[in-house]
Amino acid sequence: MQTAISPKQNSTKAWLKDNGGMIGLLIFLAAFPFIVALFEGQPFTEVLANETGNAKFLQGLLIEVFILAIYAISYDLILGITGLLSFGHAMFFAAGAYFTGIAFKNYELGIGATLVGIVVLGIVQAILFGIVLPRVKGITFALVTLGMASMFHIIIQASELAEWTGADVGLQGVTTPDLINTSTERFRLYLITLMVTFLVYLVYRRFVDSPTGRVCVAIRENEDRALMLGYNTFHFKLAALILSSITAALAGFFHTVHQPIVSPNVAGLGWTVAALLIILMGGVGTLSGAMVGAAVFRLLEFFLDKQFGENANFLLGVIYVLLVLFLPFGIVGTWRAKRFRTQS
Amino acid sequence: MGNLLEVLNIHTFIGQFHILEGVNLEVPQGSITVLLGRNGAGKTTTLKSILGLTPPREGKVIFAGEEIQGQRSFDIAALGIGFVPEHRAIFRDLSVLENLKIAERKKGDLARKEAFIFNLFPDLKRLIKLSGMNLSGGQQQMLAVARALVPDNKLLLIDEPSEGLAPVLIEQMMEAIRQLSQDTTVLLVEQNFLMASRLAERYVIIEEGQSVTQGAMADLVGDEETIHRYLGAA
């Protein structure tokens, strides 16, 4: 019997219709290296063989965008969806990046074992943040997480740990497995990071639409109300933190694979601010805004740097201020609000 | 008729401020009891103290024979106490359906209560997919009450249900509370004395953080001196 609360019948056709734009973008991005090669007069076989050229260079740039998107969406889950303001998010990313570097360089672990380690690391970090969750809220939580991340930043630069972390120089010359080597297997790494980015987005959307995700949204709006409905909000915040931490560590994994060096800067406050800026530009709490924001953030930085050299940072600052001023809900948030107004 | 809820001499502090300085009240099973008092008397704090949101430092809260003061809010709610806060406290970013679904304690709660809820608030059925932020004030208030009806609550605490509602909606809300009280005991905070007197069987008056009198509503209606002294109405 169909009732007002019956769930919408899901069908593959309906799913494809709802996600047509995303699938189109995925196909376009998968074909992008070949489109570039076509314009450059480069044979497709050279793209597949990872020969030097604009196609390979732009794949590298887009891999950086995908990594930023994975990192930023993980921040959107805890800030935009669950309402937890953390200033220590860079630690999640940096720990993943350092762990990957150490696993490959010092212990010659395989990809599978390293990824298992990333998941465990993600859970441990989230639990570490979770310890303070019931005790502090709002700006206090932000400052405590900043303190934790700062300690991590100091520890990885300690000279006593130079053998593993490279101290203040960072990890240099990480040898990544041939299968995902960014120099020799750029196209494969490009496709893997592209697929992982979309997969992470789909998993996050599913999470937000799930009963657990709806409680996270409720917590963001008013935690007391969620408590009054009988929810132990700590469990839900911890679940969001665990998913977010694993995802950020995964972004750190790809960062190390792609660079393949790890600078201590990735553990600094600047890296958390980058995530915040990306989701502010894209649209806080929209998830897809993190992807759009990451593309705007990295591509703008690249093109302005190319055109204006050392003046690029000033121009970037001006553009960020204008974007936040004129698109207060971010690019995706403003677009959604406009579409809603048009429809109603 | 036994008491479903008993509050015995509770003292509640918010920060360093002593807000409740000895509140006593009884809510008989199956009744509608109203908490009356002037603005700032401590009515909402009393509800929050029962729920553990502002836990009392002294005194007892006994629900269905069990002492619940000191328990965590979500554990208290899970015992079967629903709360409809003031100011139309719905989740504005969730749809009407999601606002109702999130109140389920057991899978299928909403499906079982669907007919009852939409019979009380027919408008909500039409608005089921709309986001909470797009509802009018009255619709939000109805959704807030409807949400508390989704799980099997033994006691409903309703804070100022008529606040800001048009007269026609107040009538509808009164009718809804009357109907839901057939299955659930209700403790109501209400400034609108006319509405309170028509709905409730019992009353408790709170003045400056203390309960000063309680009894049958029928007795209060005829007691103009008490009404004038504590409620400023005649």
Side-chain angles (χ1 to χ4, degrees):
Chain A
M1 187 180 70
Q2 184 73 20
T3 68
I5 63 158
S6 302
K8 192 170 62 175
Q9 292 301 313
N10 284 321
S11 68
T12 313
K13 203 174 164 185
W15 190 88
L16 288 173
K17 194 182 167 193
D18 288 348
N19 295 283
M22 187 186 70
I23 295 163
L25 179 64
L26 186 64
I27 293 169
F28 170 76
L29 286 172
F32 181 71
F34 299 102
I35 297 169
V36 175
L38 197 67
F39 279 104
E40 295 282 314
Q42 194 182 14
F44 288 171
T45 48
E46 286 193 8
V47 175
L48 294 169
N50 300 292
E51 296 288 343
T52 308
N54 261 345
K56 185 175 182 182
F57 174 75
L58 289 174
Q59 283 176 67
L61 187 64
L62 286 180
I63 288 171
E64 288 175 22
V65 170
F66 300 150
I67 292 167
L68 276 174
I70 297 169
Y71 171 56
I73 204 171
S74 72
Y75 194 55
D76 201 24
L77 179 66
I78 56 166
L79 177 64
I81 302 296
T82 317
L84 290 172
L85 177 62
S86 162
F87 284 159
H89 201 65
M91 185 179 102
F92 292 169
F93 178 89
Y98 270 95
F99 177 83
T100 306
I102 294 166
F104 286 157
K105 192 178 174 186
N106 297 44
Y107 297 97
E108 295 179 357
L109 288 186
I111 298 168
T114 307
L115 286 173
V116 170
I118 287 285
V119 172
V120 174
L121 181 74
I123 295 169
V124 170
Q125 291 190 102
I127 291 172
L128 200 64
F129 274 33
I131 291 169
V132 298
L133 259 183
R135 292 164 187 82
V136 289
K137 280 182 182 173
I139 194 70
T140 322
F141 178 74
L143 293 176
V144 171
T145 51
L146 174 64
M148 286 182 176
S150 299
M151 277 195 288
F152 180 79
H153 196 196
I154 291 165
I155 289 167
I156 55 167
Q157 293 183 86
S159 53
E160 290 85 353
L161 296 176
E163 190 186 337
W164 290 284
T165 62
D168 53 356
V169 181
L171 272 174
Q172 306 284 328
V174 177
T175 316
T176 49
D178 292 342
L179 193 70
I180 49 172
N181 188 296
T182 191
S183 300
T184 57
E185 293 296 345
R186 174 70 54 90
F187 184 57
R188 182 183 287 156
L189 184 62
Y190 173 78
L191 287 183
I192 289 172
T193 48
L194 171 65
M195 294 305 292
V196 169
T197 306
F198 276 82
L199 206 62
V200 165
Y201 171 69
L202 288 177
V203 167
Y204 269 52
R205 227 176 53 179
R206 181 72 195 87
F207 177 83
V208 172
D209 288 340
S210 73
T212 304
R214 299 284 87 187
V215 177
C216 288
V217 173
I219 291 170
R220 179 194 68 204
E221 275 202 53
N222 192 317
E223 189 169 353
D224 276 351
R225 280 177 214 161
L227 282 167
M228 288 178 300
L229 290 175
Y231 290 107
N232 183 345
T233 53
F234 168 73
H235 292 157
F236 293 88
K237 289 192 281 190
L238 186 62
L241 266 178
I242 288 174
L243 183 56
S244 169
S245 170
I246 292 173
T247 313
L250 184 66
F253 167 87
F254 283 117
H255 174 81
T256 303
V257 167
H258 181 53
Q259 289 306 333
I261 56 168
V262 188
S263 156
N265 289 342
V266 296
L269 179 62
W271 203 245
T272 296
V273 172
L276 180 61
L277 197 55
I278 288 171
I279 64 169
L280 277 175
M281 285 195 298
V284 179
T286 59
L287 297 184
S288 53
M291 330 261 284
V292 174
V296 172
F297 181 84
R298 183 64 191 104
L299 298 179
L300 208 57
E301 190 181 60
F302 171 75
F303 286 112
L304 288 179
D305 200 39
K306 199 175 165 188
Q307 294 295 323
F308 302 102
E310 59 188 21
N311 295 323
N313 279 344
F314 171 75
L315 289 170
L316 267 175
V318 171
I319 292 171
Y320 293 154
V321 169
L322 290 176
L323 270 174
V324 174
L325 270 179
F326 291 102
L327 298 174
F329 304 113
I331 297 165
V332 174
T334 308
W335 175 73
R336 281 186 188 171
K338 213 167 189 173
R339 195 179 61 165
F340 179 79
R341 276 201 298 272
T342 314
Q343 281 174 351
S344 55
Chain B
M1 190 164 53
N3 292 327
L4 181 63
L5 178 76
E6 285 179 59
V7 173
L8 304 173
N9 194 31
I10 57 168
H11 289 251
T12 298
F13 291 74
I14 297 178
Q16 57 184 341
F17 298 104
H18 195 170
I19 305 296
L20 299 186
E21 303 176 14
V23 169
N24 292 280
L25 65 89
E26 294 168 359
V27 179
Q29 177 95 41
S31 71
I32 300 180
T33 302
V34 65
L35 267 178
L36 297 167
R38 292 190 172 92
N39 273 337
K43 303 184 295 294
T44 297
T45 307
T46 301
L47 295 190
K48 288 185 173 178
S49 295
I50 293 167
L51 280 159
L53 289 169
T54 52
R57 280 196 201 166
E58 284 175 42
K60 288 182 182 176
V61 180
I62 301 169
F63 174 69
E66 184 186 346
E67 282 189 28
I68 60 169
Q69 79 279 358
Q71 289 192 26
R72 296 173 298 185
S73 296
F74 52 87
D75 286 330
I76 292 174
L79 292 172
I81 302 181
F83 183 35
V84 182
E86 59 185 337
H87 309 310
R88 298 142 190 179
I90 60 161
F91 297 112
R92 290 166 52 82
D93 286 342
L94 300 183
S95 69
V96 170
L97 178 59
E98 286 168 337
N99 264 283
L100 295 172
K101 286 283 276 183
I102 203 170
E104 283 189 319
R105 285 203 196 108
K106 292 193 299 282
K107 200 170 166 56
D109 271 350
L110 181 57
R112 282 189 295 107
K113 298 287 185 68
E114 183 187 356
F116 176 65
I117 289 171
F118 292 142
N119 184 41
L120 284 182
F121 305 113
D123 273 2
L124 293 183
K125 189 172 184 175
R126 183 172 53 83
L127 305 165
I128 197 83
K129 287 182 183 164
L130 215 59
S131 167
M133 72 178 77
N134 297 310
L135 301 182
S136 69
Q139 289 162 345
Q140 288 186 21
Q141 189 68 290
M142 283 167 196
L143 178 57
V145 176
R147 196 179 57 194
L149 298 177
V150 173
D152 288 323
N153 283 317
K154 294 175 191 146
L155 173 67
L156 271 186
L157 310 180
I158 308 178
D159 198 356
E160 304 262 12
S162 71
E163 189 195 22
L165 293 188
V168 64
L169 290 177
I170 291 179
E171 285 298 324
Q172 198 183 343
M173 184 62 74
M174 277 177 62
E175 183 51 34
I177 293 171
R178 204 172 280 129
Q179 280 194 43
L180 68 89
S181 71
Q182 289 169 8
D183 297 315
T184 314
T185 305
V186 176
L187 175 60
L188 192 71
V189 164
E190 187 50 67
Q191 290 272 10
N192 181 335
F193 181 68
L194 185 65
M195 175 178 173
S197 62
R198 285 169 59 196
L199 261 180
E201 293 122 39
R202 288 183 52 80
Y203 74 93
V204 179
I205 294 179
I206 295 183
E207 173 84 351
E208 293 181 352
Q210 293 179 320
S211 48
V212 287
T213 172
Q214 59 182 307
M217 181 55 86
D219 297 338
L220 180 66
V221 170
D223 187 350
E224 285 191 12
E225 191 196 331
T226 304
I227 294 172
H228 186 71
R229 188 195 304 168
Y230 294 119
L231 308 177

